[in-house]
Amino acid sequence: MRLLTAALGVAVGSSASASSHAAPTSVAADTTAPEPTLTLLSMNPVVHPGDDVTVGVRVTNPTTHQLKVGTVELSVGWRRLGARSDIAAWVNGEDTHTLQRQGSQTVEHLVPGAHQDLTFTFPVDQLKLAGAGGPRQVSIELDADGTTTTVRTFLLWEPNAAGTTPTNEPIRLSVLAPVTGPAVNPASPLSTDNLAGPMSPGGSLSNIVASVGAAEHATGARGTLALAVDPALVATASRSDVAQVAAWAGEVSALSDKTDVSPLPPYDPDLGALAHAGLSPASLGAQTHAALPDSFDIPAGWSAPLAWPADGAAPDVATLGAAKAAGIDTVVVPTGLSPMRGTASGITSVTTPQGDVKAVVADGAFSQVLTSATDLSSGVTPTLSTSEAVQRLLAESSVVSAQNAGDEPHLLAVLPRGWSPDVDALGSVLSALHTSGLVEFAPLGDLLDTPAPKVARISLQDSSPQGAELDPADVRRLDAARTSLDDLASVAKDPADVIDPLAPALTSPLSVAWRSNPTGRGRAVADAVAAVASKQGAVSVSATDVTLIAAEGRLPVVVHNALPTSATVTVVLRPDNPRLVVDSRPRAVVPAGGQTRVDVPVSALGSGDVKVRVDVLTTAGVPIAQPITLQLRVRAGWETVGTAVAMGAVGLLFVLGIWRTVRRGRSPRRTVAPSLPDPLIPGEADRPRG
């Protein structure tokens, strides 16, 4: 037996008018379906006394052989379903109550790929539905080709006459959808090649934008569909040369005029993976506030940021605490924190070691049914018909309203990442809910402003890592690479010139989108770490071995800068022997793509060979270049000795000069002319010469 339920099925009909003997209509065959299918096309959303119930169904033959004969039977139960658990039991086939048959029709000679529409009509008064309004069970069963297929849905009974005040007050409902893109390739993080399809008219991301207007039109309420947007996706799209991609970014940036738009952390990082890697609050903040391409500014009209853990399983307290540590106070909880009894508004507070977090909690049934009726991501049509979705959601609304009389809760329906909306189906579902009077749509901001009710909820586990998370060691590798990039950027005149080109590569492997491709994610991590490592030699230092012959001097060091912006660095010498004293740590500005000579003053206390390590540091004292070691020959007394030797040599030359002069004066080879007096013999000058 095949069971089609109001939690899994497709499209609404307003009212189906096809005759039970309508000729089969040919459609494309789905050769993967093993048996005939049954779809609820239309049904009165709510029936009042005196109404006729009209139910339209479609039988489709997707097999490769002719369906010779089949029977469709419709039955209704009189018992009112008073709890949401009763609704779930009926949908899941756990409730086996016998219902009253209201009609039966035959389907004959349905060829492969064809379908036939049937209509059942009967007065609601014949059901004798006395007592309070609310949902009743409806079973539509197809017996054909040796198989039985059943659609389980609901008839909404309102005992008050049409046009009068409904028995129960409407519940309030907000709808929230994430706007995230495909996994970003670190090798080309700013490429928009894979965005052109989703952002073109009819694409999934384009349809999300269109759904905002469709939701408002269907309900007459601004903000019926709120969005949580990855700002990095919008920033990347805004710089695209593809006109449709850039136009999409412009539309999303302006959506705050139509609905509540909240930014997610850039690149939609997996908060669970971050939480379980043991990162510091500073690292958590850095990983959730990555730089946006081209210094994109989040539009002023957007609301406060939201954190959104990965879909599929309830997050743990550690994950919510990581969001709080990162400075994000509000977290979407798509699964978990259900009330222990009944239904409560989708807002609560969760205590974490880092502080209290406001949690907006999705209602599981509303989220699942709305997704199943509007999501095209898994095929060409949603898995749940619009009419089935409407009847299920009205049944849920009726029960919630009755259980919370006088204190109507404000519920939240959350759509999943990757949602590819059928805009028409979404509009039809929301319009039917609004028209019924059982649902009143409200903006997400209203829910966020609602005081959290004091309701006992199923607690989240303290720490429960999910299997699809990135390995903590890889998270720490990415964080270490990010830290080293930040250190490098700290010396730059414009840090954005260093960080912005690599920020997408470092953050994107952490995104939730990579969960579905762990092998590719591993390569993305390696590529990101390698990309940062390649930048680590951007600032380098060089020097040559020298000899210091004085007690004081300057050691020349050359700092090279391959960054696209000037860098301010500190040069530090670290001798291995106290005979050399470094007098200061000079700071220098090195031009972009250039080099600067830095003379470091030193003093010598003695002679000998000294090994000196040369470090280049940031202004905060963090090494920014690979250190080098040079050999310094210190000859501290050579300058004094050399001077003394030189002076002695000069003195010696002077004495030798005098000595030579005297010696030359006493030489026997030297004669005095007879006509000249000898000035050295007294009176000799006055003696007559002749």
Side-chain angles (χ1 to χ4, degrees):
M1 175 178 177
R2 186 179 178 194
L3 181 66
L4 300 179
T5 73
L8 304 167
V10 190
V12 271
S14 354
S15 61
S17 57
S19 162
S20 61
H21 300 292
T25 304
S26 177
V27 295
D30 178 6
T31 56
T32 62
E35 55 194 34
T37 62
L38 181 64
T39 303
L40 177 65
L41 292 179
S42 63
M43 189 173 182
N44 312 52
V46 180
V47 293
H48 304 81
D51 287 348
D52 285 335
V53 180
T54 302
V55 180
V57 298
R58 172 171 291 175
V59 178
T60 304
N61 179 15
T63 69
T64 57
H65 58 275
Q66 178 175 311
L67 177 64
K68 295 181 179 179
V69 64
T71 302
V72 179
E73 185 176 284
L74 184 144
S75 303
V76 181
W78 61 268
R79 186 174 66 94
R80 173 180 174 271
L81 302 180
R84 300 187 75 179
S85 58
D86 294 337
I87 295 174
W90 173 246
V91 166
N92 296 331
E94 300 164 0
D95 184 338
T96 58
H97 279 84
T98 301
L99 310 184
Q100 298 175 345
R101 189 173 70 175
Q102 302 300 320
S104 178
Q105 297 189 37
T106 301
V107 178
E108 297 185 32
H109 308 298
L110 200 58
V111 299
H115 70 255
Q116 185 172 342
D117 295 343
L118 308 175
T119 301
F120 294 85
T121 302
F122 59 92
V124 70
D125 292 343
Q126 78 179 24
L127 297 175
K128 296 180 172 46
L129 300 177
R136 266 66 175 177
Q137 301 152 313
V138 176
S139 170
I140 308 169
E141 187 173 278
L142 168 65
D143 187 1
D145 210 19
T147 63
T148 300
T149 302
T150 303
V151 169
R152 291 176 173 242
T153 186
F154 303 90
L155 177 71
L156 257 294
W157 164 245
E158 171 55 58
N160 291 346
T164 62
T165 303
T167 304
N168 298 317
E169 293 292 325
I171 67 165
R172 305 192 77 197
L173 179 66
S174 296
V175 185
L176 175 63
V179 182
T180 59
V184 175
N185 181 1
S188 55
L190 300 181
S191 171
T192 59
D193 292 345
N194 59 348
L195 299 179
M199 292 180 180
S200 298
S204 58
L205 292 172
S206 178
N207 281 353
I208 291 178
V209 176
S211 294
V212 172
E216 180 176 351
H217 178 75
T219 63
R222 178 199 175 277
T224 294
L225 175 62
L227 301 179
V229 181
D230 175 6
L233 177 65
V234 182
T236 302
S238 67
R239 65 191 302 278
S240 175
D241 295 332
V242 180
Q244 290 176 328
V245 173
W248 179 90
E251 289 184 75
V252 175
S253 296
L255 275 178
S256 56
D257 291 338
K258 299 179 180 180
T259 190
D260 294 345
V261 181
S262 301
L264 295 170
Y267 301 99
D268 191 26
D270 188 339
L271 291 172
L274 294 175
H276 302 130
L279 301 184
S280 68
S283 291
L284 289 171
Q287 296 289 14
T288 54
H289 294 79
L292 296 173
D294 291 343
S295 300
F296 179 83
D297 290 325
I298 293 176
W302 288 16
S303 304
L306 293 176
W308 194 316
D311 305 315
D316 56 20
V317 173
T319 298
L320 272 62
K324 181 69 175 181
I328 304 176
D329 296 326
T330 305
V331 180
V332 178
V333 180
T335 306
L337 290 176
S338 300
M340 291 186 175
R341 295 182 59 187
T343 302
S345 290
I347 189 82
T348 190
S349 179
V350 178
T351 299
T352 77
Q354 292 74 27
D356 290 348
V357 172
K358 179 185 292 186
V360 281
V361 183
D363 183 275
F366 276 82
S367 300
Q368 178 189 5
V369 174
L370 193 58
T371 299
S372 297
T374 62
D375 189 12
L376 298 172
S377 62
S378 60
V380 294
T381 58
T383 58
L384 186 66
S385 77
T386 305
S387 189
E388 287 178 275
V390 168
Q391 298 309 119
R392 169 70 185 274
L393 295 177
L394 289 177
E396 299 279 355
S397 301
S398 176
V399 170
V400 170
S401 179
Q403 288 179 337
N404 295 269
D407 184 22
E408 303 310 324
H410 189 155
L411 305 186
L412 175 66
V414 167
L415 297 158
R417 287 177 175 85
W419 180 53
S420 179
D422 181 328
V423 180
D424 292 337
L426 177 67
S428 296
V429 172
L430 299 182
S431 177
L433 296 179
H434 170 68
T435 304
S436 72
L438 290 173
V439 177
E440 177 184 311
F441 290 93
L444 177 66
D446 288 3
L447 176 60
L448 294 175
D449 292 338
T450 301
K454 295 181 179 180
V455 174
R457 295 179 179 270
I458 299 175
S459 300
L460 300 176
Q461 296 188 43
D462 290 338
S463 181
S464 179
Q466 299 174 15
E469 292 175 1
L470 181 62
D471 186 87
D474 284 333
V475 175
R476 290 190 287 270
R477 286 177 62 200
L478 289 170
D479 186 61
R482 179 201 55 76
T483 300
S484 66
L485 182 64
D486 287 347
D487 291 338
L488 179 62
S490 70
V491 305
K493 179 179 180 182
D494 188 352
D497 289 344
V498 179
I499 294 175
D500 288 2
L502 291 175
L506 275 176
T507 310
S508 60
L510 289 166
S511 71
V512 175
W514 275 112
R515 277 195 170 202
S516 60
N517 184 5
T519 301
R521 182 174 61 185
R523 290 193 296 268
V525 171
D527 290 346
V529 173
V532 173
S534 69
K535 293 292 184 182
Q536 293 309 303
V539 176
S540 59
V541 61
S542 64
T544 58
D545 294 348
V546 296
T547 299
L548 179 65
I549 63 173
E552 295 180 350
R554 292 181 177 272
L555 184 63
V557 172
V558 179
V559 181
H560 308 267
N561 175 23
L563 295 174
T565 179
S566 61
T568 301
V569 300
T570 301
V571 177
V572 177
L573 302 186
R574 304 182 191 277
D576 69 346
N577 193 292
R579 66 169 57 96
L580 183 70
V581 177
V582 180
D583 296 330
S584 69
R585 297 183 169 192
R587 183 174 296 179
V589 177
V590 189
Q595 63 185 38
T596 295
R597 170 174 163 161
V598 182
D599 292 326
V600 185
V602 296
S603 300
L605 301 180
S607 298
D609 292 342
V610 179
K611 288 184 178 180
V612 180
R613 194 179 82 176
V614 182
D615 283 323
V616 179
L617 309 180
T618 69
T619 55
V622 178
I624 204 64
Q626 185 68 30
I628 63 170
T629 300
L630 57 89
Q631 190 76 21
L632 181 63
R633 293 181 293 275
V634 181
R635 303 296 182 258
W638 278 24
E639 181 181 47
T640 303
V641 172
T643 301
V645 170
M647 292 180 65
V650 171
L652 179 61
L653 289 173
F654 179 75
V655 171
L656 287 174
I658 295 175
W659 180 79
R660 287 186 63 188
T661 300
V662 172
R663 181 175 177 81
R664 286 174 61 189
R666 295 180 177 179
S667 173
R669 294 188 297 249
R670 188 172 179 179
T671 61
V672 178
S675 59
L676 295 178
D678 188 350
L680 300 179
I681 302 175
E684 189 67 22
D686 297 329
R687 181 181 302 174
R689 299 181 182 276

